[in-house]
Every structure is written in C-alpha cells, then in structure tokens.
Amino acid sequence: MCAHVLVAEDDEMQAELIRRSLLSEGHTATVVHDGSAALDAARRLRPDLVVLDLMLPVIDGFGVCRVLRRDDDIPVLMLTARSAEDDVLLGLELGADDYMTKPYSPRELMARIRTVLRRSGRIAGRREDPVVRAAGIAVDPARHEVRCDGAAVECTPAEFEILLAMVTEPERVFSRRQLLECTRGTDRASTERAVDVHIMNLRRKIEADPRSPARLLTVFGVGYKLSGGRG
C-alpha cells in the first residue's frame, strides 16, 4: 500500500519526522507548513491522504478540513495538541477520518495512516509502486535507488534525499534551507552552502552537460527546482 501523503505541520522538526517515517514505509510525502499552502498542494497534487495539524498558521486545520470536505473527499488524519473533547468532536464533524493527540509515537501514526488508507479505498487495486518519477528521473525510496533515463545513478544519502524531494514536486522552487532540511539525519554537519555542492554533484550525475543544466535549474535569489514535469 504505497500512497502520496500531504503533511501539513508548522513544526518543521515534527514534519520532517513524519516525512521520514512515511518514506520508510514506502510512501511519498509532500510537506507544507501553513493552511494556505496545504490547500494549494491538495488541489495541485491530489494526495491520497492529508496529515493535518490543527494549529496551522494562515488558515487553521479546521478551516483547511472544511474546504477539503467541500471540494473533495481526500481522507484527513488530524493532529492536535489540544485534547479537549469539543476540539476533537469539531474535527470529526468537519469530516476528519481520524485524529491523534500529541505527543504520539511515529509507529502509532503510521499504523493509523495504514488504517485510514485501507478504509478510504482510494488506492484499492493500485499497483504497488513507490517509485517517484519526474524529468526522466526515477527515485525508489524503498530500495534507495535512482535511475536517470533508465541508467542507475549512485547518490550519497544527502543527494538522494534532495533529489527525492525535488522529484516528488517537479517545478517547485526549493530554497537552500528547505533542501538542507531534507538532509537532516543523513548529513547533520551540512550547511546551506553545502547544498550548492550537493546540487553540483547531482548535476554531474543527471545532466548531459552539467555546465548548462536542463533538469536541475537555479532560480536566482531563491534556490533550485527540477524542471521537466512528471514521467
């Protein structure tokens, strides 16, 4: 059961922990940190499930859930630091499929996600294929393998995490700080400037001409993006 999960969590450490837990289960994940970004990502990506923190900035989790339920039937698992019964009941009345109260264990969260996905039936009958593809690049998080135009590519752990994030969301512009967060746990000594080195090394591996990249592009003053679309 391999799904694309949207994680809407303003605590970046918590969001990264959830993302890594999802990847270890063979899922793919997109992470956002406010309610407006969550709604935008849900419309663009149509994920199989949304893990939704109630205390989001810009638009809170209740507001996000209300809009999601009005526009779509994407399953929602709510996360709340507030254990008040009224908050939980309101979330469920708005259409949340399940909820968890913080603090929680990653193992329990993954078990709840599996249960919600099974109940939803959104991925029933889908071929189990955790491979993420974009711009001629295929990244398999379960096997930790990368292929570019069909050829195997050897990546360091940090390079792999950066490439996985970018292939999951082609055309999205990532800042150096966001890409640095992707490497936490694989390259703790890294800095934002080290991200440039990782990008340079990736270009050597996936570009026909690393000096004139066609896939891994610089967005001056902002960061980097993977260009080429899905597939």
Side-chain angles (χ1 to χ4, degrees), residues 118-187:
R118 278 197 302 268
R119 282 202 314 246
S120 72
R122 286 176 66 93
I123 58 177
R126 180 185 302 176
R127 182 172 64 89
E128 294 192 8
D129 183 5
V131 179
V132 189
R133 297 177 175 85
I137 300 165
V139 181
D140 186 339
R143 296 180 175 84
H144 211 273
E145 294 176 350
V146 175
R147 290 188 172 273
C148 181
D149 296 330
V153 177
E154 293 295 328
C155 292
T156 68
E159 291 167 2
F160 183 90
E161 294 292 347
I162 288 172
L163 196 57
L164 175 59
M166 300 183 85
V167 171
T168 300
E169 295 188 77
E171 304 298 340
R172 172 185 169 182
V173 180
F174 289 85
S175 68
R176 289 180 177 85
R177 182 169 179 269
Q178 288 170 327
L179 292 176
L180 178 63
E181 287 299 319
C182 294
T183 72
R184 296 302 188 194
T186 64
D187 192 4

Coordinates of all heavy atoms in Angstrom, one line a residue, residues 118-187:
R118 N -6.6 2.1 4.1 CA -7.4 0.9 3.8 C -8.9 1.2 3.8 O -9.6 0.8 2.9 CB -7.1 -0.2 4.8 CG -5.9 -1.0 4.5 CD -5.9 -2.3 5.3 NE -6.0 -2.0 6.7 CZ -4.9 -1.9 7.5 NH1 -3.7 -2.0 7.0 NH2 -5.1 -1.7 8.8
R119 N -9.4 2.0 4.8 CA -10.8 2.3 4.9 C -11.2 3.2 3.7 O -12.4 3.1 3.2 CB -11.1 3.1 6.2 CG -11.2 2.2 7.4 CD -11.9 2.9 8.5 NE -11.6 4.2 8.7 CZ -11.0 4.7 9.8 NH1 -10.7 3.9 10.8 NH2 -10.7 6.0 10.0
S120 N -10.4 4.1 3.3 CA -10.8 5.1 2.2 C -11.0 4.4 0.9 O -11.9 4.8 0.1 CB -9.7 6.1 2.1 OG -8.6 5.6 1.4
G121 N -10.3 3.3 0.6 CA -10.4 2.6 -0.7 C -9.9 3.4 -1.9 O -10.0 3.1 -3.0
R122 N -9.2 4.6 -1.6 CA -8.7 5.4 -2.7 C -7.6 4.8 -3.5 O -7.4 5.1 -4.7 CB -8.2 6.8 -2.1 CG -9.3 7.7 -1.7 CD -8.8 8.9 -1.1 NE -8.0 9.8 -2.0 CZ -8.6 10.8 -2.7 NH1 -9.8 11.0 -2.6 NH2 -7.8 11.5 -3.6
I123 N -6.8 3.9 -2.9 CA -5.7 3.3 -3.6 C -6.0 1.8 -3.8 O -5.1 1.0 -4.1 CB -4.4 3.5 -2.9 CG1 -4.4 3.0 -1.5 CG2 -4.0 5.0 -2.9 CD1 -3.0 3.2 -0.8
A124 N -7.2 1.3 -3.6 CA -7.5 -0.1 -3.8 C -7.3 -0.5 -5.2 O -7.7 0.2 -6.1 CB -9.0 -0.4 -3.4
G125 N -6.6 -1.6 -5.4 CA -6.4 -2.1 -6.8 C -5.2 -1.4 -7.5 O -4.9 -1.8 -8.6
R126 N -4.6 -0.4 -6.8 CA -3.5 0.3 -7.5 C -2.3 -0.6 -7.4 O -2.0 -1.2 -6.4 CB -3.2 1.6 -6.8 CG -2.1 2.4 -7.3 CD -1.8 3.7 -6.5 NE -2.9 4.5 -6.5 CZ -2.9 5.6 -5.7 NH1 -1.9 6.0 -5.1 NH2 -4.0 6.4 -5.7
R127 N -1.5 -0.6 -8.4 CA -0.3 -1.4 -8.4 C 0.7 -0.7 -7.4 O 0.9 0.5 -7.4 CB 0.4 -1.3 -9.8 CG 1.7 -2.1 -9.9 CD 2.1 -2.2 -11.3 NE 2.5 -0.9 -11.9 CZ 3.7 -0.4 -11.8 NH1 4.7 -1.0 -11.2 NH2 3.9 0.8 -12.3
E128 N 1.2 -1.5 -6.5 CA 2.1 -1.0 -5.5 C 3.4 -0.6 -6.1 O 4.2 -1.5 -6.5 CB 2.3 -2.0 -4.4 CG 1.0 -2.3 -3.6 CD 1.2 -3.1 -2.3 OE1 2.4 -3.3 -2.0 OE2 0.3 -3.4 -1.7
D129 N 3.6 0.7 -6.3 CA 4.8 1.1 -6.9 C 5.3 2.4 -6.2 O 4.7 3.5 -6.5 CB 4.6 1.4 -8.4 CG 5.8 1.9 -9.2 OD1 6.9 1.9 -8.5 OD2 5.7 2.2 -10.3
P130 N 6.2 2.3 -5.3 CA 6.6 3.5 -4.6 C 7.5 4.4 -5.3 O 7.9 5.5 -4.8 CB 7.3 2.9 -3.4 CG 7.9 1.7 -3.9 CD 6.9 1.1 -4.9
V131 N 7.9 4.1 -6.6 CA 8.8 4.9 -7.4 C 8.2 6.2 -7.8 O 7.1 6.3 -8.2 CB 9.3 4.1 -8.6 CG1 10.3 4.9 -9.4 CG2 9.9 2.8 -8.2
V132 N 8.9 7.3 -7.5 CA 8.5 8.6 -7.9 C 9.3 9.0 -9.2 O 10.5 8.8 -9.2 CB 8.8 9.6 -6.8 CG1 8.2 11.0 -7.1 CG2 8.3 9.1 -5.4
R133 N 8.6 9.6 -10.2 CA 9.2 9.9 -11.4 C 8.9 11.3 -11.9 O 7.8 11.8 -11.7 CB 8.7 8.9 -12.5 CG 9.0 7.4 -12.3 CD 8.4 6.6 -13.4 NE 8.8 5.2 -13.2 CZ 8.2 4.3 -12.4 NH1 7.1 4.7 -11.7 NH2 8.6 3.1 -12.3
A134 N 10.0 11.9 -12.4 CA 9.8 13.3 -13.0 C 11.1 13.6 -13.8 O 12.2 13.1 -13.4 CB 9.6 14.3 -11.9
A135 N 10.9 14.3 -14.9 CA 12.1 14.8 -15.7 C 13.0 13.6 -16.1 O 14.2 13.8 -16.2 CB 12.8 15.8 -15.0
G136 N 12.5 12.4 -16.4 CA 13.3 11.3 -16.8 C 14.1 10.7 -15.6 O 14.9 9.8 -15.9
I137 N 13.8 11.1 -14.4 CA 14.4 10.5 -13.2 C 13.4 9.7 -12.4 O 12.3 10.1 -12.2 CB 15.0 11.7 -12.3 CG1 16.0 12.5 -13.1 CG2 15.6 11.1 -11.1 CD1 16.3 13.8 -12.5
A138 N 13.8 8.5 -12.0 CA 13.0 7.6 -11.2 C 13.7 7.4 -9.8 O 14.9 7.0 -9.8 CB 12.8 6.3 -11.9
V139 N 13.0 7.7 -8.7 CA 13.6 7.6 -7.4 C 12.7 6.5 -6.6 O 11.5 6.7 -6.5 CB 13.6 8.9 -6.6 CG1 14.2 8.7 -5.2 CG2 14.4 9.9 -7.4
D140 N 13.4 5.5 -6.1 CA 12.7 4.5 -5.4 C 13.1 4.6 -3.9 O 14.2 4.1 -3.6 CB 13.1 3.1 -6.0 CG 12.3 1.9 -5.3 OD1 11.8 2.1 -4.2 OD2 12.2 0.9 -5.9
P141 N 12.3 5.2 -3.1 CA 12.7 5.3 -1.7 C 12.7 4.0 -0.9 O 13.5 3.9 0.1 CB 11.6 6.2 -1.1 CG 10.4 6.1 -2.0 CD 11.0 5.8 -3.4
A142 N 12.0 3.0 -1.3 CA 12.0 1.7 -0.6 C 13.3 1.0 -0.8 O 13.9 0.4 0.1 CB 10.8 0.9 -1.0
R143 N 13.8 1.1 -2.1 CA 15.1 0.4 -2.4 C 16.3 1.3 -2.4 O 17.4 0.9 -2.6 CB 15.0 -0.2 -3.8 CG 13.9 -1.4 -3.9 CD 13.9 -1.9 -5.3 NE 13.0 -3.1 -5.3 CZ 11.7 -3.0 -5.5 NH1 11.1 -1.8 -5.6 NH2 10.9 -4.1 -5.6
H144 N 16.0 2.6 -2.2 CA 17.1 3.6 -2.2 C 17.9 3.6 -3.5 O 19.1 3.6 -3.5 CB 18.0 3.4 -1.0 CG 18.6 4.7 -0.5 ND1 19.7 5.3 -1.0 CD2 18.1 5.6 0.5 CE1 20.0 6.4 -0.3 NE2 19.0 6.6 0.5
E145 N 17.1 3.6 -4.6 CA 17.7 3.6 -5.9 C 17.3 4.8 -6.7 O 16.1 5.2 -6.6 CB 17.3 2.3 -6.6 CG 17.8 1.0 -6.0 CD 17.3 -0.3 -6.7 OE1 16.4 -0.1 -7.6 OE2 17.8 -1.3 -6.4
V146 N 18.2 5.2 -7.6 CA 17.9 6.3 -8.5 C 18.3 5.9 -9.9 O 19.3 5.3 -10.1 CB 18.7 7.6 -8.2 CG1 18.5 8.7 -9.2 CG2 18.3 8.1 -6.8
R147 N 17.4 6.2 -10.9 CA 17.7 6.0 -12.3 C 17.4 7.2 -13.1 O 16.4 7.9 -12.8 CB 16.9 4.8 -12.9 CG 17.3 3.4 -12.4 CD 16.7 2.3 -13.1 NE 17.2 1.0 -12.6 CZ 18.3 0.5 -13.2 NH1 18.9 1.1 -14.2 NH2 18.8 -0.7 -12.7
C148 N 18.3 7.5 -14.0 CA 18.1 8.7 -14.9 C 18.2 8.2 -16.3 O 19.2 7.6 -16.8 CB 19.2 9.7 -14.6 SG 19.1 11.2 -15.6
D149 N 17.1 8.4 -17.0 CA 16.9 7.9 -18.4 C 17.2 6.4 -18.5 O 17.8 5.9 -19.4 CB 17.8 8.7 -19.4 CG 17.4 10.1 -19.5 OD1 16.2 10.4 -19.3 OD2 18.3 10.9 -19.7
G150 N 16.8 5.7 -17.4 CA 17.0 4.2 -17.3 C 18.3 3.7 -16.8 O 18.4 2.5 -16.5
A151 N 19.3 4.6 -16.6 CA 20.6 4.2 -16.2 C 20.7 4.4 -14.6 O 20.2 5.5 -14.1 CB 21.7 5.0 -16.9
A152 N 21.3 3.5 -13.9 CA 21.4 3.6 -12.5 C 22.4 4.8 -12.1 O 23.4 5.0 -12.8 CB 22.0 2.3 -11.9
V153 N 22.0 5.5 -11.1 CA 22.8 6.6 -10.6 C 23.1 6.4 -9.1 O 22.2 6.2 -8.3 CB 22.0 8.0 -10.8 CG1 22.8 9.1 -10.2 CG2 21.6 8.2 -12.2
E154 N 24.4 6.5 -8.8 CA 24.8 6.3 -7.4 C 24.8 7.7 -6.7 O 25.4 8.7 -7.2 CB 26.3 5.8 -7.4 CG 26.4 4.4 -7.9 CD 25.7 3.4 -7.0 OE1 25.6 3.6 -5.8 OE2 25.2 2.4 -7.6
C155 N 24.1 7.8 -5.6 CA 23.9 9.0 -4.9 C 24.3 8.8 -3.4 O 24.1 7.8 -2.9 CB 22.5 9.5 -4.9 SG 21.9 10.0 -6.5
T156 N 24.9 9.9 -2.8 CA 25.1 9.9 -1.4 C 23.8 10.0 -0.7 O 22.8 10.4 -1.3 CB 26.0 11.0 -1.0 OG1 25.3 12.3 -1.2 CG2 27.3 11.1 -1.8
P157 N 23.7 9.7 0.6 CA 22.4 9.8 1.3 C 21.8 11.2 1.2 O 20.6 11.4 1.0 CB 22.8 9.4 2.7 CG 23.9 8.5 2.6 CD 24.7 9.0 1.4
A158 N 22.6 12.2 1.3 CA 22.1 13.6 1.2 C 21.6 13.9 -0.2 O 20.6 14.5 -0.3 CB 23.2 14.6 1.7
E159 N 22.4 13.5 -1.2 CA 22.0 13.7 -2.6 C 20.6 13.0 -2.8 O 19.7 13.6 -3.5 CB 23.0 13.2 -3.5 CG 24.3 14.0 -3.5 CD 25.4 13.3 -4.3 OE1 25.2 12.2 -4.8 OE2 26.6 13.9 -4.3
F160 N 20.5 11.8 -2.3 CA 19.3 11.0 -2.5 C 18.1 11.8 -1.9 O 17.0 11.9 -2.6 CB 19.4 9.7 -1.9 CG 18.2 8.8 -2.1 CD1 18.1 8.0 -3.2 CD2 17.2 8.8 -1.2 CE1 17.0 7.1 -3.4 CE2 16.0 8.0 -1.4 CZ 16.0 7.2 -2.5
E161 N 18.2 12.3 -0.7 CA 17.1 13.0 0.0 C 16.7 14.3 -0.8 O 15.5 14.6 -0.9 CB 17.5 13.3 1.4 CG 17.7 12.1 2.3 CD 16.4 11.3 2.6 OE1 15.3 11.9 2.3 OE2 16.4 10.2 3.1
I162 N 17.7 15.0 -1.3 CA 17.4 16.2 -2.0 C 16.7 15.9 -3.3 O 15.7 16.5 -3.7 CB 18.7 17.0 -2.3 CG1 19.2 17.6 -1.0 CG2 18.5 18.0 -3.4 CD1 20.6 18.2 -1.1
L163 N 17.2 14.9 -4.0 CA 16.6 14.5 -5.3 C 15.2 14.0 -5.1 O 14.3 14.3 -5.9 CB 17.5 13.5 -6.0 CG 17.2 13.2 -7.5 CD1 17.3 14.5 -8.3 CD2 18.2 12.2 -8.1
L164 N 15.0 13.2 -4.1 CA 13.6 12.6 -3.8 C 12.6 13.8 -3.6 O 11.5 13.7 -4.1 CB 13.7 11.7 -2.6 CG 12.3 11.2 -2.1 CD1 11.6 10.4 -3.2 CD2 12.5 10.3 -0.8
A165 N 13.0 14.8 -2.8 CA 12.1 15.9 -2.5 C 11.8 16.6 -3.8 O 10.6 17.0 -4.1 CB 12.8 16.9 -1.5
M166 N 12.8 16.8 -4.7 CA 12.6 17.6 -5.9 C 11.8 16.8 -7.0 O 11.0 17.3 -7.7 CB 13.9 18.1 -6.5 CG 14.7 19.0 -5.5 SD 16.2 19.6 -6.1 CE 15.6 21.0 -7.0
V167 N 12.0 15.5 -7.0 CA 11.3 14.6 -8.0 C 9.8 14.5 -7.5 O 8.9 14.4 -8.4 CB 11.9 13.2 -8.1 CG1 11.0 12.3 -8.9 CG2 13.3 13.4 -8.8
T168 N 9.6 14.5 -6.2 CA 8.2 14.4 -5.7 C 7.4 15.7 -6.1 O 6.2 15.6 -6.4 CB 8.2 14.3 -4.2 OG1 8.9 13.1 -3.8 CG2 6.8 14.2 -3.6
E169 N 8.1 16.8 -6.2 CA 7.4 18.1 -6.6 C 8.1 18.8 -7.7 O 8.8 19.8 -7.5 CB 7.3 19.0 -5.3 CG 6.4 18.4 -4.2 CD 6.1 19.5 -3.2 OE1 5.3 20.4 -3.4 OE2 6.8 19.3 -2.1
P170 N 8.1 18.3 -8.9 CA 8.7 18.9 -10.0 C 8.2 20.3 -10.2 O 7.0 20.6 -10.0 CB 8.5 18.0 -11.2 CG 7.2 17.2 -10.8 CD 7.3 17.1 -9.3
E171 N 9.1 21.2 -10.6 CA 8.8 22.6 -10.9 C 8.6 23.5 -9.6 O 8.5 24.7 -9.7 CB 7.5 22.8 -11.8 CG 7.6 22.1 -13.1 CD 8.7 22.5 -14.0 OE1 9.2 23.6 -13.8 OE2 9.0 21.7 -14.9
R172 N 8.6 22.8 -8.5 CA 8.6 23.6 -7.2 C 10.0 24.2 -7.0 O 11.0 23.5 -7.1 CB 8.2 22.8 -6.0 CG 8.3 23.5 -4.7 CD 8.0 22.6 -3.5 NE 8.4 23.3 -2.3 CZ 8.3 22.7 -1.1 NH1 7.8 21.5 -0.9 NH2 8.7 23.4 0.0
V173 N 10.0 25.4 -6.6 CA 11.3 26.1 -6.3 C 11.6 25.8 -4.8 O 10.8 26.2 -3.9 CB 11.3 27.6 -6.6 CG1 12.7 28.2 -6.2 CG2 11.0 27.8 -8.0
F174 N 12.7 25.2 -4.5 CA 13.2 24.9 -3.1 C 14.3 25.9 -2.7 O 15.2 26.1 -3.5 CB 13.7 23.5 -3.0 CG 12.7 22.4 -3.1 CD1 12.3 21.9 -4.3 CD2 12.1 21.8 -1.9 CE1 11.3 20.9 -4.4 CE2 11.2 20.8 -2.0 CZ 10.8 20.3 -3.3
S175 N 14.2 26.4 -1.6 CA 15.3 27.3 -1.1 C 16.4 26.3 -0.6 O 16.1 25.1 -0.3 CB 14.8 28.2 0.1 OG 14.4 27.4 1.2
R176 N 17.6 26.9 -0.4 CA 18.7 26.1 0.2 C 18.3 25.6 1.6 O 18.6 24.4 1.9 CB 19.9 26.9 0.3 CG 20.6 27.3 -1.1 CD 21.8 28.1 -0.9 NE 22.5 28.3 -2.2 CZ 22.2 29.3 -3.0 NH1 21.2 30.1 -2.7 NH2 22.8 29.5 -4.1
R177 N 17.6 26.4 2.4 CA 17.2 26.0 3.7 C 16.3 24.8 3.7 O 16.4 23.8 4.4 CB 16.6 27.1 4.5 CG 16.2 26.8 5.9 CD 15.8 28.1 6.7 NE 15.4 27.7 8.0 CZ 14.2 27.5 8.4 NH1 13.2 27.5 7.5 NH2 13.9 27.2 9.7
Q178 N 15.3 24.8 2.7 CA 14.4 23.7 2.6 C 15.1 22.4 2.2 O 14.8 21.3 2.7 CB 13.3 24.0 1.6 CG 12.3 25.1 2.1 CD 11.4 25.6 1.1 OE1 11.8 25.7 -0.1 NE2 10.2 25.9 1.4
L179 N 16.0 22.5 1.2 CA 16.8 21.4 0.8 C 17.7 20.9 1.9 O 17.9 19.7 2.1 CB 17.6 21.7 -0.5 CG 16.7 21.9 -1.7 CD1 17.6 22.3 -2.9 CD2 15.9 20.7 -2.1
L180 N 18.2 21.8 2.7 CA 19.0 21.4 3.8 C 18.2 20.6 4.8 O 18.7 19.6 5.4 CB 19.6 22.6 4.5 CG 20.5 22.4 5.8 CD1 21.7 21.6 5.4 CD2 20.9 23.7 6.4
E181 N 17.0 21.0 5.1 CA 16.1 20.2 6.0 C 15.9 18.8 5.5 O 15.8 17.9 6.3 CB 14.8 20.9 6.1 CG 14.8 22.2 7.0 CD 15.3 21.9 8.4 OE1 14.9 20.9 9.0 OE2 16.1 22.7 8.9
C182 N 15.9 18.6 4.2 CA 15.8 17.2 3.6 C 16.9 16.3 4.0 O 16.7 15.1 4.0 CB 15.7 17.3 2.1 SG 14.2 18.1 1.4
T183 N 18.1 16.9 4.3 CA 19.3 16.1 4.5 C 19.4 15.8 6.0 O 20.4 15.1 6.4 CB 20.5 16.7 4.0 OG1 20.9 17.9 4.8 CG2 20.4 17.2 2.6
R184 N 18.6 16.4 6.9 CA 18.8 16.1 8.3 C 18.7 14.6 8.6 O 17.7 14.0 8.2 CB 17.7 16.9 9.1 CG 17.8 18.4 9.0 CD 19.1 18.9 9.4 NE 19.1 20.4 9.5 CZ 20.1 21.1 9.6 NH1 21.3 20.6 9.6 NH2 20.0 22.5 9.6
G185 N 19.6 14.2 9.4 CA 19.6 12.7 9.7 C 20.6 12.0 8.8 O 21.0 10.9 9.1
T186 N 20.9 12.5 7.6 CA 21.8 11.9 6.7 C 23.1 12.7 6.7 O 24.2 12.2 6.4 CB 21.3 11.8 5.3 OG1 21.1 13.1 4.8 CG2 20.0 11.0 5.3
D187 N 23.0 14.0 7.0 CA 24.2 14.9 6.8 C 24.1 16.0 7.8 O 23.9 17.2 7.4 CB 24.3 15.4 5.4 CG 25.6 16.1 5.1 OD1 26.5 16.1 6.0 OD2 25.8 16.6 4.0

